[in-house]
């Protein structure tokens, strides 16, 4: 699937999921009605509006010199290594989520956390907010349940990584390009 088709299909999937999951008011159980002129459903009894819900999540590429720390999630249907990701908790800033998720999942501290870009992700109706961050300390440790293992990888010795179209892959490819540019300055 190309990027444009993926974006359109993802948008359609998210809206269709919202529509079927908000047929009744969450407060009083009355069937909701579509609102004319905007993408919303509304309860006719207490007027509560229901808009498509988006769940923000952060996704972080952790680097140390020319290496990156990638983790293998135990729930992936097929084994591959990827960046660390997690949903934003209520009351949390994106920066706080980055530090908390990375500490929880792989046990390390970060510095120089910088925004990379974002990508709507239809599965889980999420908006993935990507960051690059540098390793600042701590020992790599995983819980063995959610994260099966996490390891440092050199850019020329990578495991199986996420497919194209994912922001995880964009993060990894961008870092590889930066390292290669550093290693062969005549090419820049
Ligand atoms: Zn209601």
């Amino acid at each position: 699937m190309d990027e444009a088709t993926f974006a359109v299909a993802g948008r359609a999937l998210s809206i269709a999921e919202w529509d079927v999951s908000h047929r009744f008011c969450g407060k009083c159980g009355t069937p909701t009605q579509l609102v004319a002129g905007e993408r919303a459903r509304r309860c006719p009894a207490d007027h509560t509006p229901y808009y498509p819900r988006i769940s923000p999540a952060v996704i972080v590429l952790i680097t140390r010199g020319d290496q990156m720390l990638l983790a293998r999630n135990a729930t992936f249907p097929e084994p591959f290594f990827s960046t660390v990701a997690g949903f934003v908790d209520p009351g949390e800033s994106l920066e706080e989520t980055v530090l908390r998720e990375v500490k929880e999942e792989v046990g390390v501290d970060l510095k120089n956390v910088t925004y990379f870009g974002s990508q709507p992700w239809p599965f889980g109706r999420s908006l993935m907010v990507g960051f690059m961050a540098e390793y600042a300390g701590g020992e790599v440790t995983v819980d063995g349940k959610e994260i099966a293992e996490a390891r440092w990888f050199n850019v020329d010795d990578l495991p199986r990584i996420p497919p194209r179209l994912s922001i995880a892959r964009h993060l990894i490819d961008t870092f590889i390009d930066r390292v290669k540019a550093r290693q062969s300055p005549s090419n820049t």
Side-chain angles (χ1 to χ4, degrees):
M1 203 185 291
D2 63 81
E3 209 151 335
T5 310
F6 181 74
V8 170
R11 187 177 164 88
L13 180 65
S14 296
I15 291 168
E17 264 189 355
W18 158 75
D19 196 60
V20 297
S21 62
H22 290 83
R23 288 159 53 223
F24 299 93
C25 176
K27 279 188 190 162
C28 72
T30 302
T32 57
Q33 297 171 343
L34 276 173
V35 178
E38 59 178 333
R39 183 159 287 129
R41 300 186 72 93
R42 193 186 298 278
C43 173
D46 57 29
H47 309 294
T48 306
Y50 294 95
Y51 298 98
R53 188 86 38 101
I54 296 162
S55 304
V58 302
I59 184 159
V60 196
L61 181 67
I62 305 157
T63 67
R64 184 181 66 184
D66 288 352
Q67 293 186 309
M68 58 187 121
L69 182 64
L70 300 178
R72 184 166 67 79
N73 195 311
T75 62
F76 287 159
E78 291 184 47
F80 66 91
F81 283 80
S82 188
T83 46
V84 170
F87 285 105
V88 178
D89 271 349
E92 204 173 42
S93 71
L94 297 172
E95 293 82 357
E96 287 168 339
T97 311
V98 167
L99 300 180
R100 175 182 57 77
E101 279 290 340
V102 167
K103 190 75 179 171
E104 281 176 7
E105 296 203 348
V106 293
V108 303
D109 298 308
L110 302 175
K111 61 181 179 184
N112 299 331
V113 178
T114 54
Y115 175 72
F116 174 78
S118 65
Q119 180 185 43
W121 194 247
F123 313 105
R125 278 165 291 182
S126 182
L127 174 68
M128 306 297 288
V129 187
F131 292 87
M132 293 239 188
E134 291 173 31
Y135 169 82
E139 199 158 319
V140 176
T141 44
V142 299
D143 65 5
K145 287 179 236 147
E146 188 188 346
I147 305 292
E149 60 177 317
R151 276 160 41 196
W152 292 103
F153 291 97
N154 288 309
V155 296
D156 46 13
D157 186 21
L158 285 175
R160 192 166 160 208
I161 54 175
R164 299 193 183 279
L165 294 181
S166 65
I167 191 168
R169 181 59 178 268
H170 286 308
L171 278 159
I172 291 170
D173 286 348
T174 300
F175 181 67
I176 292 170
D177 288 345
R178 285 183 194 171
V179 170
K180 298 236 153 124
R182 275 206 295 267
Q183 287 172 348
S184 45
S186 56
N187 293 345
T188 58

